[in-house]
Amino acid sequence: MRLALNQRVAVLLHEGIHGRYGKTGLSLLRYSEAPIVAAIDRECAGKSLIELTGIKRDVPIVASVAAALEYQPEVLVIGIAPKGGALPDDYWHELKDALSAGMSLVNGLHTPLASIPELKTLLKPGQFIWDVRKEPPNLDVASGLARNLPCRRILTVGTDMSVGKMSTSLELHWASRLQGWRSKFLATGQTGLMLEGDGIPLDAVRVDFAAGAVEQMVMRYGKNYDILHIEGQGSLLHPGSTATLPLIRGSQPTQMILVHRAGQTEVVNGVPIPPLSEVVKLYETVAYAGGAFAFVPVVGISLNTKDLDESQALDAIAQTEAETGRPCTDVVRFGADKLLNAVMESNRV
């Protein structure tokens, strides 16, 4: 399932346009081909999405689902990804208003909605509730099979959660296609699944089968493409993250791209982000596992500079290149060609 290209979409984003939990909705606004007719954020109602976010999409921002109805949306997408993936209490009335108005609902949170009787009774023929985070069937433990695939497998890894790993993988995927490579973006989170229509919601998979789920997905596509861009999740630095190691083991990457938010110095609760040169060593060491697996280089740094002006961004990029000895850019701001060239120049296939 994916967001249909013939259905009008509204994105529910209260406190998400300015806050740190709106990545799902903002990514859909930036990347989705679906016709998005309204963004719903009571903090930013009436303001310009382009001016607030830089996303080149002329979508009105309204204060509520009720206010969005004049744009005739057919699907409401929950566009926030709060800590723990739980639905905020003040969102419930918006969901009920949407269903009562005949809209379908796309839910990327951990809270399943399709089985809630109060919501099910509001569904009319033709309406649906899509809970994106569902574990795939027929999983097994990983066995390292992906290391034998002939394609490049590019995994984005991060210094933290929500720093831009999906955006980096998508930008690299599109740059690969423009250069004529047979490329595939492999979604591992709820937003990527909404955009791509296939993949795995990795944080809904039991930990014993997480690497196996990644391996199964990579094996499904690895023989038919030149390059797979695997969406990263979490961070080895974050004490609450369990997704990164299964991605490394399941995908058996040939190269990694490290993603970092410019200026960020801590992960959570005072846990520091080490110098990026040390983070590079960490990921390469974990991937190599003392020689159990092939050496996997971090070939470039994707720097999220959205909080900087262009001059500051260019300075931060230059500083990061000097510190790490790797090419660096902001792929959303300046394009992904520099990092893709680093991937292709790497002698590991």
Side-chain angles (χ1 to χ4, degrees):
M1 195 170 185
R2 67 182 299 175
L3 286 179
L5 301 184
N6 63 345
Q7 288 189 299
R8 297 161 66 85
V9 174
V11 180
L12 186 57
L13 262 174
H14 289 315
E15 285 83 49
I17 291 178
H18 281 315
R20 290 190 62 179
Y21 297 131
K23 67 172 187 176
T24 294
L26 293 175
S27 295
L28 291 174
L29 286 161
R30 187 182 301 279
Y31 294 118
S32 178
E33 297 177 19
I36 299 176
V37 297
I40 303 167
D41 187 337
R42 52 184 164 244
E43 281 192 338
C44 300
K47 297 181 181 178
S48 165
L49 180 74
I50 297 173
E51 292 177 6
L52 290 175
T53 67
I55 296 171
K56 296 177 175 62
R57 195 164 192 158
D58 189 15
V59 174
I61 304 174
V62 299
S64 65
V65 166
L69 294 180
E70 70 171 286
Y71 301 101
Q72 300 178 312
E74 299 166 278
V75 178
L76 180 71
V77 178
I78 300 173
I80 58 162
K83 183 178 179 181
L87 184 74
D89 289 340
D90 61 349
Y91 271 53
W92 284 101
H93 73 93
E94 297 281 38
L95 304 188
K96 294 173 187 175
D97 286 350
L99 292 173
S100 297
M103 299 169 65
S104 294
L105 181 61
V106 176
N107 168 38
L109 301 179
H110 280 300
T111 306
L113 301 179
S115 58
I116 294 177
E118 188 178 3
L119 298 182
K120 287 173 66 176
T121 60
L122 296 174
L123 289 175
K124 303 175 186 69
Q127 285 179 269
F128 62 84
I129 298 175
W130 175 24
D131 289 325
V132 178
R133 277 173 157 148
K134 284 187 176 180
E135 183 180 83
N138 304 318
L139 295 179
D140 201 350
V141 297
S143 58
L145 284 175
R147 71 188 189 277
N148 299 317
L149 288 169
C151 62
R152 284 180 168 85
R153 300 175 298 284
I154 316 307
L155 175 65
T156 47
V157 294
T159 54
D160 196 5
M161 302 177 180
S162 302
V163 290
K165 295 180 287 292
M166 183 196 73
S167 297
T168 298
S169 292
L170 280 170
E171 296 285 351
L172 284 165
H173 165 57
W174 289 336
S176 299
R177 294 180 67 178
L178 286 173
Q179 290 192 18
W181 298 98
R182 295 179 303 160
S183 176
K184 175 72 174 174
F185 166 72
L186 298 185
T188 60
Q190 72 273 16
T191 311
L193 278 161
M194 294 177 196
L195 290 168
E196 191 67 12
D198 60 11
I200 55 169
L202 188 58
D203 57 7
V205 177
R206 289 164 292 171
V207 67
D208 282 356
F209 299 105
V214 174
E215 180 178 273
Q216 188 178 88
M217 174 179 63
V218 170
M219 294 302 295
R220 186 182 311 133
Y221 296 106
K223 295 179 181 178
N224 299 318
Y225 291 90
D226 301 313
I227 182 167
L228 301 179
H229 293 287
I230 302 140
E231 177 191 3
Q233 298 291 334
S235 171
L236 290 177
L237 307 181
H238 197 294
S241 174
T242 59
T244 306
L245 185 59
L247 279 162
I248 293 172
R249 294 291 176 254
S251 69
Q252 295 289 314
T254 55
Q255 290 89 13
M256 294 181 286
I257 299 290
L258 177 64
V259 187
H260 176 62
R261 181 183 291 105
Q264 185 177 346
T265 59
E266 294 182 352
V267 178
V268 66
N269 294 333
V271 176
I273 295 175
L276 293 188
S277 56
E278 294 301 316
V279 181
V280 166
K281 291 178 186 176
L282 169 67
Y283 276 107
E284 291 180 342
T285 299
V286 169
Y288 187 52
F293 304 101
F295 177 72
V296 184
V298 173
V299 297
I301 314 295
S302 176
L303 196 65
N304 181 339
T305 66
K306 76 178 184 65
D307 296 325
L308 306 178
D309 64 30
E310 186 163 323
S311 176
Q312 292 170 325
L314 291 171
D315 288 344
I317 287 168
Q319 181 179 344
T320 301
E321 289 187 332
E323 177 188 343
T324 63
R326 268 92 171 158
C328 173
T329 192
D330 183 325
V331 296
V332 173
R333 206 168 197 167
F334 303 117
D337 284 347
K338 180 190 283 191
L339 298 187
L340 181 60
N341 290 341
V343 167
M344 294 307 182
E345 290 167 5
S346 172
N347 58 13
R348 200 150 169 231
V349 178

